[in-house]
């Protein structure tokens, strides 16, 4: 369930553009005005605002955001990724991830596993357009060993997106997974083939059979401290339990010593129009505190206000 709140009646696109222009061109940037507009427009409306802004003023709205006077880094980055189209945003996040060390591989897993098959294709197309190369080639170039072996097929995948499952196949492949994981053959070709190609519904059936047949959740057998095993665990959670996956990312971002703003911003911006309300509910069940309150305790100023607006909790 999405958290984004869009008013039933909004000003014309031309009015929004004029207001945003005044927010950027006045004496200092008017962050409150930026939040009041952009945090309450859906992806189609934001795209039209960007187009109209460029046509009217001959300037890219994203560059205006990037050069806004007195904007804090975290607020600026959050507004920037939020204003992007979802597929452009994923392409941007993926490119940022390929520039960094192995910790950012989790962002690639997140994009590959929590998006729908069509969304992943659109992200790959946007990556082509932005970078003049494919996501697959960059991932292959910037990773090695078992990480490359898993990540390249994940980002290249185009899974069946329907609900039909083959229960006999689920039984057979749960046995394969159990044998390989029991032997700690975590990067075995068969493990990667199953996780990188099967539909989410089929994987759910396979993992349910795994638990019924062998008496333990597969994730319980993937608790080694090894970094690749952690990546494998994130893959399974992202594919089959996405809300739980995002709750863990948020908890890690908020509860650690010093907030991990990049992770917090990424989850809020990418899920606000998808399932952020559901994620927030799961977060509260897990930590006994509303997500909005947890964010307010760990952040401040315009950055906090933008996060809470996207969470749909400005009035709380």
């Amino acid at each position: 369930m999405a958290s984004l709140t869009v008013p039933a009646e909004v000003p014309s696109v031309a009015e929004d553009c004029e207001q945003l222009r005044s927010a950027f061109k006045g004496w200092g940037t008017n962050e409150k005005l930026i939040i009041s507009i952009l945090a309450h427009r859906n992806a189609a409306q934001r795209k039209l605002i960007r187009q109209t802004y460029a046509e009217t003023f001959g300037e890219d709205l994203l560059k205006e955001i990037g050069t806004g006077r007195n904007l804090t880094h975290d607020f600026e980055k959050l507004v920037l990724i939020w204003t992007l189209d979802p597929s452009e945003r994923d392409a941007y996040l993926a490119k940022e991830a390929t520039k960094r060390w192995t910790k950012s591989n989790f962002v690639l897993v997140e994009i590959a596993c929590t998006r729908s098959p069509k969304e992943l294709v659109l992200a790959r197309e946007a990556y082509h357009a932005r970078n003049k190369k494919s996501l697959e080639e960059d991932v292959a170039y910037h990773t090695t060993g078992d990480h490359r072996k898993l990540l390249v097929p994940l980002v290249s995948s185009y899974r069946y997106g329907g609900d039909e499952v083959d229960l006999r196949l689920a039984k057979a492949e749960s046995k394969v997974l159990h044998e390989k994981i029991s032997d700690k053959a975590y990067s075995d070709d068969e493990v990667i083939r199953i996780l990188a190609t099967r539909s989410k519904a089929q994987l759910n059936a396979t993992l349910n059979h795994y638990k019924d047949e062998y008496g333990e959740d597969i994730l319980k057998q993937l608790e080694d401290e090894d970094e690749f095993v952690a990546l494998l665990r994130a893959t399974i959670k992202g594919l089959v339990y996405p809300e739980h996956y995002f709750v863990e990312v948020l908890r890690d971002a908020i509860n650690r010593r010093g907030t991990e703003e990049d992770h917090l911003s990424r989850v809020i911006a990418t899920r606000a129009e998808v399932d952020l309300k559901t994620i927030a509910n799961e977060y509260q069940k897990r930590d006994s505190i509303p997500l909005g309150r947890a964010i307010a305790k760990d952040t401040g100023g315009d950055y906090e206000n933008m996060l809470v607006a996207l969470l749909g909790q400005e009035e709380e």
Side-chain angles (χ1 to χ4, degrees):
M1 191 186 306
S3 65
L4 180 68
T5 56
V6 178
E9 293 186 14
V10 297
S12 69
V13 177
E15 288 177 81
D16 277 347
C17 289
E18 288 286 352
Q19 289 291 301
L20 286 169
R21 181 72 168 180
S22 70
F24 289 114
K25 299 300 182 183
W27 289 100
T29 306
N30 187 337
E31 292 90 344
K32 185 176 181 180
L33 184 55
I34 293 169
I35 294 169
S36 72
I37 297 171
L38 292 179
H40 298 285
R41 303 293 184 269
N42 61 34
Q45 291 168 329
R46 297 193 307 275
K47 184 175 184 177
L48 193 54
I49 287 171
R50 282 179 60 195
Q51 290 172 346
T52 306
Y53 196 97
E55 291 166 2
T56 305
F57 303 114
E59 295 180 11
D60 185 344
L61 179 59
L62 297 179
K63 288 184 178 177
E64 295 276 64
I65 294 167
T67 57
R69 284 165 289 178
N70 305 320
L71 294 184
T72 64
H73 172 75
D74 295 324
F75 176 71
E76 175 191 315
K77 190 164 185 180
L78 174 59
V79 175
L80 182 88
I81 62 172
W82 169 247
T83 305
L84 287 166
D85 276 354
S87 58
E88 283 185 287
R89 183 193 302 135
D90 281 343
Y92 169 82
L93 292 169
K95 184 62 177 177
E96 290 294 299
T98 61
K99 295 176 183 176
R100 299 174 184 169
W101 297 104
T102 53
K103 289 290 184 184
S104 63
N105 287 342
F106 288 90
V107 178
L108 297 171
V109 165
E110 184 178 302
I111 292 168
C113 298
T114 66
R115 305 326 189 229
S116 71
K118 182 62 175 175
E119 287 168 344
L120 182 55
V121 168
L122 291 173
R124 292 209 299 266
E125 290 176 353
Y127 197 97
H128 279 188
R130 287 176 67 92
N131 302 298
K132 311 308 177 194
K133 60 178 78 172
S134 73
L135 174 58
E136 298 92 319
E137 69 179 290
D138 270 355
V139 170
Y141 181 75
H142 289 282
T143 57
T144 59
D146 288 344
H147 286 230
R148 177 191 288 165
K149 188 176 179 180
L150 174 64
L151 288 167
V152 172
L154 280 180
V155 300
S156 308
S157 180
Y158 185 51
R159 304 171 191 273
Y160 166 63
D163 295 326
E164 291 184 27
V165 298
D166 182 332
L167 294 178
R168 284 187 294 182
L169 181 65
K171 181 178 180 180
E173 293 192 335
S174 69
K175 182 180 179 183
V176 172
L177 289 173
H178 185 259
E179 289 172 353
K180 300 301 180 184
I181 289 170
S182 296
D183 291 340
K184 298 188 183 298
Y186 302 121
S187 62
D188 186 90
D189 289 349
E190 285 296 276
V191 174
I192 290 179
R193 175 189 63 79
I194 292 166
L195 294 180
T197 64
R198 295 301 182 200
S199 73
K200 295 181 181 184
Q202 184 66 41
L203 281 171
N204 191 50
T206 298
L207 298 185
N208 282 339
H209 192 278
Y210 189 109
K211 187 173 183 179
D212 292 343
E213 184 72 17
Y214 304 109
E216 191 169 34
D217 191 300
I218 192 172
L219 294 172
K220 290 287 185 182
Q221 293 192 293
L222 291 170
E223 293 188 336
D224 288 20
E225 293 303 314
D226 180 81
E227 195 171 81
F228 178 76
V229 175
L231 204 64
L232 207 61
R233 200 162 57 236
T235 298
I236 293 169
K237 286 180 181 176
L239 287 166
V240 184
Y241 317 108
E243 290 86 3
H244 295 168
Y245 166 83
F246 284 116
V247 166
E248 287 201 9
V249 175
L250 288 170
R251 292 183 77 241
D252 188 54
I254 294 170
N255 296 342
R256 65 168 54 218
R257 184 178 298 172
T259 308
E260 192 67 67
E261 286 86 358
D262 280 356
H263 298 328
L264 177 57
S265 295
R266 186 182 74 250
V267 174
I268 299 298
T270 60
R271 308 316 292 181
E273 294 179 275
V274 185
D275 55 1
L276 187 54
K277 190 169 284 188
T278 305
I279 293 166
N281 290 339
E282 289 295 325
Y283 185 96
Q284 184 164 355
K285 286 180 191 174
R286 179 75 182 269
D287 276 22
S288 301
I289 181 174
L291 178 57
R293 193 181 305 164
I295 287 172
K297 282 176 63 179
D298 258 46
T299 61
D302 300 309
Y303 179 58
E304 174 199 333
N305 294 337
M306 183 72 180
L307 289 167
V308 172
L310 293 178
L311 195 55
Q313 296 184 357
E314 285 173 296
E315 296 175 0
E316 291 191 2

